[in-house]
Amino acid sequence: MSTNVTIDQWEIFQHGTRRSDTTITERIRVLATFEAETGVNPAYAQPLDIVRWYALHEEWSPGTHYTYHSYLTTWFKWLQLQDIRVDNPMVKLGTVKQPKRKPRPVADTHLIALLKTNMHHRTRVMILLATLAGLRCIEIAKFRGEDMDLPRGRMLVLGKGGDEKWVPLHPILAATAETMPVRGWWFPSNRTRPGQHVTRKSVSQSISDVFRRANLPGSAHPLRHWYGTTLLEGGADIRVVQELMRHGSVTSTQQYTGVTDIRMRAAVEKLDLHRAIA
C-alpha cells in the first residue's frame, strides 16, 4: 500500500474519532517530514530509522521531542489496529517523558502596554478573548456572534474535540460584543478561505505582530496563561479554574498554571524566625 493511501486512511480515521483539524494536520506533517528526511516509508520504518531521525534534530526542545514521539506512537498503533503492520517499532524505543509545563503569563505591566498599542479592532478583540476568557487561538478563530448570550451573561466556547462549554462573560467582553457581528464569524477569512473563519495560525500571527510592534515579549498563548494564573492569584478555587479553562482534569490545570509567585512569596513571608528561636 502506498504512503499516500495509508496516510489518507489514517486521516479519515482521525476525523472519525473527532480529532481536531490542527492535530490531524500536524500529525500528517510530521510523517511527511520523516519520510522526506529519511527516505523511508513511515509505514515500514524500523526502530533504527526513527532513532537516526531523532539524532538529526538536536535542536528539538524536550516538548517537541515528546510530541513527535507521541505522534509516531499513535501512528504505529493505528497501523497495527488496521492489520497493516504486525509489530510496533516504538516499543523498542521506550517512552519519552513529558516535560513539565511552566507558566509563561504575560506580565501585568506588559499587558497594559500591549492594550495601549495601536492595532486593528478585530486584533484587539482577539487579545481580549484570550485574556478575559482564556480562549485558545483555534477557539478565537472559530468564534461566532451566536456564541454570545448577552441576556444571561455567558459565552459558548467550542473547544478541543468539538466540546462545547458555556462560561461566564466578562463585562468588557459583553461591551465588546456590541461592536461585533451578531451572527456569523467574528473573524472571517478575507481572501484565502471565502466564507470560512481565519485559521489558528492567523490569530497567533496577528497577536504576535502586536507584541512585536510594542517591543514586548509574548505571544497569544501567554495571554491564556495570564488568565489562569491571575484567577488563581485572585483566590479562585482550582476546580473553578479548571472549568473556566476547560481542562479535562485538574492535573492539567495544575501543570498549566503552576504555583503562582504571589503564593510562594506569601508562604516565605510567613516564616517566623523569632518564634523558632523562642
Side-chain angles (χ1 to χ4, degrees):
M1 186 178 295
S2 70
T3 304
N4 289 339
V5 172
T6 307
I7 292 179
D8 287 348
Q9 290 179 349
W10 190 42
E11 180 178 355
I12 294 171
F13 177 84
Q14 292 181 90
H15 278 294
T17 56
R18 298 184 63 81
R19 294 294 179 184
S20 71
D21 290 342
T22 300
T23 297
I24 296 172
T25 300
E26 275 299 290
R27 285 177 174 179
I28 292 174
R29 183 189 66 80
V30 169
L31 288 183
T33 301
F34 172 84
E35 183 170 22
E37 294 181 350
T38 65
V40 176
N41 183 328
Y44 304 108
Q46 298 300 313
L48 189 57
D49 298 322
I50 299 168
V51 169
R52 286 174 173 170
W53 184 55
Y54 287 171
L56 292 175
H57 294 282
E58 295 181 356
E59 79 281 4
W60 284 353
S61 68
T64 297
H65 186 192
Y66 171 81
T67 299
Y68 289 5
H69 187 87
S70 68
Y71 286 172
L72 290 178
T73 298
T74 302
W75 161 248
F76 287 112
K77 285 182 178 179
W78 176 80
L79 290 175
Q80 286 184 305
L81 180 66
Q82 300 298 318
D83 294 325
I84 297 174
R85 182 162 180 157
V86 176
D87 66 320
N88 185 341
M90 302 305 288
V91 173
K92 295 184 178 181
L93 270 64
T95 59
V96 174
K97 187 177 181 181
Q98 183 176 14
K100 291 184 178 180
R101 294 182 178 181
K102 296 182 179 180
R104 299 180 295 118
V106 173
D108 291 351
T109 53
H110 289 169
L111 180 56
I112 293 172
L114 182 73
L115 293 172
K116 289 182 178 179
T117 304
N118 289 328
M119 67 185 84
H120 292 297
H121 177 65
R122 80 180 209 162
T123 304
R124 185 177 299 277
V125 176
M126 291 176 180
I127 291 174
L128 291 176
L129 286 171
T131 306
L132 299 178
L135 266 60
R136 304 174 178 91
C137 286
I138 186 59
E139 295 167 344
I140 294 172
K142 296 189 293 185
F143 202 80
R144 304 166 303 168
E146 296 92 332
D147 296 332
M148 279 289 182
D149 185 355
L150 295 178
R152 293 183 176 87
R154 63 180 186 171
M155 56 186 283
L156 181 66
V157 181
L158 181 60
K160 291 183 176 180
D163 291 338
E164 295 183 347
K165 187 172 185 62
W166 289 100
V167 297
L169 182 60
H170 192 282
I172 292 178
L173 286 177
T176 301
E178 301 291 345
T179 68
M180 302 298 287
V182 176
R183 302 185 64 81
W185 306 119
W186 270 18
F187 311 107
S189 177
N190 295 327
R191 299 175 183 173
T192 58
R193 293 155 48 96
Q196 298 296 312
H197 58 75
V198 296
T199 63
R200 173 192 60 82
K201 185 176 181 180
S202 177
V203 173
S204 177
Q205 186 64 54
S206 295
I207 295 176
S208 294
D209 285 346
V210 179
F211 271 102
R212 185 164 47 253
R213 288 193 291 104
N215 196 28
L216 296 169
S219 57
H221 210 61
L223 295 175
R224 175 172 158 83
H225 281 251
W226 181 91
Y227 174 77
T229 302
T230 304
L231 286 171
L232 282 178
E233 289 178 345
D237 181 84
I238 194 166
R239 278 286 291 115
V240 173
V241 178
Q242 176 196 348
E243 291 296 319
L244 289 172
M245 297 192 76
R246 305 168 308 286
H247 283 149
S249 71
V250 73
T251 301
S252 298
T253 309
Q254 290 171 330
Q255 294 177 347
Y256 203 93
T257 58
V259 179
T260 66
D261 290 340
I262 288 179
R263 290 187 175 183
M264 288 192 293
R265 189 177 299 112
V268 171
E269 289 175 351
K270 287 181 179 179
L271 296 174
D272 190 346
L273 185 59
H274 295 291
R275 186 175 65 179
I277 295 174

